[in-house]
Amino acid sequence: MKIAVAGTGYVGLSNGLLLSQNNEVVALDIVAQKVEMLNSGILPIEDREMEEFLPKYIGKSFRATLDKKEAYEGADFIIVATPTDYDPESNYFNTKSIEAVVSDILEINTSATIVIKSTIPVGYTKSLNERFNTNNIIFSPEFLREGKALYDNLYPSRIIVGEKSKRAELFASLLKEGAVKKDIPTLFTNSTEAEAIKLFANTYLAMRVAYFNELDSYCLEHNLNTEDIIKGVGLDPRIGMHYNNPSFGYGGYCLPKDTKQLLANYKDVPSNIIEAIVKANSTRKDFISDSIIKRLGDNPQKKVVGVYRLVMKSGSDNFRSSAIQGIMKRVKAKGIEVVVYEPVLKDNHFFGSRVVNDLDEFKNISDVIVANRMEKSLEDVKERVFTRDIFNSDS
């Protein structure tokens, strides 16, 4: 089969490379540099499994293009994986990129099944089909981790397709065919239920992050052992010892925007928990920032706070909406100098903060080093490191 993918971020590339094992895949992007990199076998994002897959299939069953016609013409399935950032003014995902892609597709190929993989509001697929007078648009949610996107497609927790039909079953079978894991739980629902599944799943994860973060805040305030308390709580099998490592807050591509979108969808429904999950993230950042400033001691405005890595987790190059950026803003608002160590950055400044990518220099000038996750490279200065990484893991 020929499959087109619109968008070459984590979602688009992981799906494209997965499917290129057994199909012809054409990935479309609007950024010429990314297309050139992909066709040269260079991955524009950080993902170990994708780095291994790309050289195997590029120029054979996988290629990238800037040409919409080349991508869409003759495609059986077209996956839409363009970004949908949350717009706080409209309380809605910005879905303009999806609508632009769908419009282009229908001008070139009216028979292809369009599968939206971008995160969207509840009820969006139904309204989009009505708007474009088609029934060829379906939704299939993604449950991927940054830096582990292809791995999570090779070993998926589940496959969900928002339509009960033969073409939905065919699309699910293509995903299963490319996966290493066998006996993958598969669920076919209506489109609106599939959209809700994605938002509720991510909001639950955000709730769990927020819960253990608030537990940690309590322990910090009362000088208690966070690790012992989390272990004691997690030994209850109904709670478990997973996804319980404190952090500076939830962040990344999905959790911040998905929780806000779900809260907006609740505007006519009585609720308390969803709003609390959203507010808890800001409260945690306030608390962490205050704790860092206390560590500086007297005359904090004469001290330097060093931020070690903007990325959310190891093996990722994404720092969009990372919680540590919220910490930086709060500390800088108190007139305290903040410097950043982030090898991914090529600029000399990041939102007004100096970037110092010589690690020794960074360590020398930082009075307190703030690290969302502890790494071996900081062991020699651990007495100056502020982190809430209790279990040395990303989750």
Side-chain angles (χ1 to χ4, degrees):
M1 284 193 172
K2 180 183 177 183
I3 299 169
V5 179
T8 60
Y10 280 104
V11 173
L13 281 179
S14 61
N15 277 277
L17 288 169
L18 177 88
L19 294 166
S20 68
Q21 295 175 97
N22 301 292
N23 304 277
E24 176 194 359
V25 175
V26 184
L28 176 73
D29 205 283
I30 59 173
V31 180
Q33 185 182 10
K34 289 180 75 174
V35 169
E36 289 170 10
M37 288 177 69
L38 287 167
N39 286 332
S40 300
I42 302 169
L43 194 68
I45 55 179
E46 190 171 324
D47 187 293
R48 189 179 69 184
E49 283 74 22
M50 281 198 246
E51 286 174 358
E52 294 172 359
F53 264 61
L54 183 60
K56 293 180 184 177
Y57 299 103
I58 194 68
K60 299 170 186 173
S61 55
F62 180 91
R63 68 184 187 275
T65 184
L66 294 165
D67 187 335
K68 299 170 189 174
K69 193 171 183 182
E70 179 187 353
Y72 300 150
E73 201 167 60
D76 300 285
F77 286 95
I78 301 174
I79 295 172
V80 181
T82 56
T84 51
D85 294 326
Y86 183 78
D87 183 348
E89 292 186 8
S90 65
N91 284 333
Y92 200 76
F93 285 136
N94 185 344
T95 55
K96 290 178 182 177
S97 66
I98 295 175
E99 287 139 30
V101 168
V102 169
S103 179
D104 290 338
I105 292 169
L106 294 175
E107 287 182 8
I108 296 168
N109 184 341
T110 57
S111 61
T113 300
I114 301 169
V115 183
I116 298 175
K117 282 284 185 180
S118 309
T119 306
I120 52 178
V122 177
Y124 180 75
T125 305
K126 183 174 182 291
S127 67
L128 198 63
N129 273 306
E130 291 171 354
R131 174 177 168 178
F132 285 98
N133 193 28
T134 182
N135 65 352
N136 280 352
I137 306 169
I138 64 177
F139 175 68
S140 177
E142 276 303 327
F143 305 98
L144 306 177
R145 295 170 293 172
E146 297 146 19
K148 288 278 189 180
L150 181 53
Y151 180 91
D152 288 340
N153 266 321
L154 293 168
Y155 301 90
S157 59
R158 71 278 208 198
I159 292 172
I160 295 173
V161 185
E163 190 173 84
K164 300 177 181 180
S165 65
K166 292 294 183 185
R167 65 185 181 184
E169 292 174 9
L170 175 57
F171 182 72
S173 72
L174 294 174
L175 297 177
K176 289 181 180 180
E177 184 182 28
V180 175
K181 182 180 177 180
K182 304 302 177 187
D183 301 319
I184 302 163
T186 305
L187 179 65
F188 299 96
T189 71
N190 293 324
S191 62
T192 304
E193 281 77 2
E195 293 157 354
I197 287 167
K198 175 63 185 286
L199 296 184
F200 276 106
N202 277 347
T203 301
Y204 175 83
L205 294 176
M207 178 181 70
R208 192 168 171 108
V209 172
Y211 175 84
F212 285 106
N213 280 345
E214 291 207 350
L215 183 158
D216 179 59
S217 294
Y218 183 88
C219 292
L220 270 175
E221 189 68 18
H222 293 280
N223 197 28
L224 301 176
N225 188 309
T226 297
E227 182 175 358
D228 286 350
I229 294 175
I230 290 178
K231 283 180 177 178
V233 169
L235 286 171
D236 185 327
R238 294 170 299 177
I239 298 171
M241 287 298 297
H242 60 281
Y243 213 67
N244 61 359
N245 196 22
S247 65
F248 296 154
Y250 57 79
Y253 283 121
C254 294
L255 267 56
K257 66 175 186 175
D258 290 6
T259 52
K260 290 173 184 175
Q261 179 62 68
L262 186 60
L263 178 60
N265 283 129
Y266 259 86
K267 64 180 181 180
D268 298 320
V269 181
S271 67
N272 298 108
I273 292 176
I274 309 301
E275 184 177 12
I277 294 167
V278 174
K279 288 182 175 179
N281 215 34
S282 293
T283 301
R284 173 65 168 179
K285 291 173 190 176
D286 291 340
F287 179 83
I288 290 294
S289 302
D290 291 342
S291 299
I292 292 166
I293 293 169
K294 285 179 185 176
R295 281 280 295 269
L296 291 171
D298 296 334
N299 299 316
Q301 285 75 20
K302 295 183 179 180
K303 307 286 180 64
V304 176
V305 171
V307 170
Y308 179 82
R309 305 302 308 268
L310 297 170
V311 295
M312 290 292 296
K313 54 186 73 176
S314 58
S316 170
D317 60 356
N318 166 53
F319 47 82
R320 185 172 73 176
S321 298
S322 61
I324 206 161
Q325 292 185 57
I327 307 300
M328 287 176 62
K329 291 175 184 175
R330 288 163 170 80
V331 172
K332 288 168 69 175
K334 301 293 185 180
I336 299 166
E337 182 182 359
V338 174
V339 299
V340 176
Y341 174 81
E342 179 50 77
V344 171
L345 284 175
K346 305 305 177 189
D347 298 326
N348 294 324
H349 289 82
F350 180 79
F351 286 104
S353 293
R354 186 159 54 102
V355 176
V356 181
N357 278 341
D358 181 302
L359 185 55
D360 289 333
E361 181 188 354
F362 171 80
K363 290 176 181 177
N364 287 334
I365 65 176
S366 300
D367 294 290
V368 172
I369 296 172
V370 180
N372 189 49
R373 292 294 178 244
M374 189 67 179
E375 293 188 8
K376 289 181 180 178
S377 59
L378 296 177
E379 285 293 331
D380 60 324
V381 290
K382 62 182 179 182
E383 72 282 353
R384 284 190 279 131
V385 174
F386 181 92
T387 184
R388 300 314 302 153
D389 183 9
I390 305 297
F391 297 109
N392 295 312
S393 70
D394 286 328
S395 59

